[in-house]
Amino acid sequence: MTALLGGHIMVGETNLTQLDKVRAGQMKMLAIATDKRSPEVAEVPTLKDLGIDIQYGVNRGLVAPKGTPEAVLAKLEDACGKAAKDPAVAESMKKQGTVVRFLGRKDYLAFFEREDQISGDLAQALGVKRK
């Protein structure tokens, strides 16, 4: 952000926490990498709107060491599920332009493996990952 605002780079990426800088005219949002336009910045096109068929988001999840007791995993999963439903968490995430989709451990593992495969395939196609 410092390099972008200082004019040292021409483009960067961020989340909606920087809207104050956009509204102050310090930078301009060119596109959003979600599947649909964000209600918070409805005027900003998606990459797909611009003919670039890419969706990209930062995904977060908790991981635990192999061998973690089932009771501990269940407690963590339950706590995360409750947090994802908390209106205060939802409001905080909305301000950042973050869509919260809670996935239980099995669903998250499947999601993570799919995303990892996509990223690996892309890295290989770009020549930054060897076969």
Side-chain angles (χ1 to χ4, degrees), residues 75-104:
K75 188 171 185 173
L76 285 169
E77 184 173 27
D78 182 59
C80 289
K82 287 178 182 172
K85 293 177 187 170
D86 183 318
V89 171
E91 183 60 28
S92 176
M93 294 296 102
K94 182 179 176 184
K95 288 178 183 175
Q96 297 177 47
T98 300
V99 176
V100 177
R101 273 189 337 221
F102 173 75
L103 300 174

Side-chain angles (χ1 to χ4, degrees), residues 86-127:
D86 183 318
V89 171
E91 183 60 28
S92 176
M93 294 296 102
K94 182 179 176 184
K95 288 178 183 175
Q96 297 177 47
T98 300
V99 176
V100 177
R101 273 189 337 221
F102 173 75
L103 300 174
R105 349 181 210 160
K106 289 183 172 87
D107 290 335
Y108 184 72
L109 176 61
F111 168 81
F112 186 80
E113 288 173 340
R114 280 191 310 273
E115 290 295 303
D116 191 51
Q117 182 66 48
I118 291 168
S119 294
D121 291 348
L122 180 59
Q124 190 168 334
L126 293 172

Side-chain angles (χ1 to χ4, degrees), residues 1-10:
M1 191 53 55
T2 301
L4 183 65
L5 294 173
H8 304 287
I9 60 173
M10 299 290 294

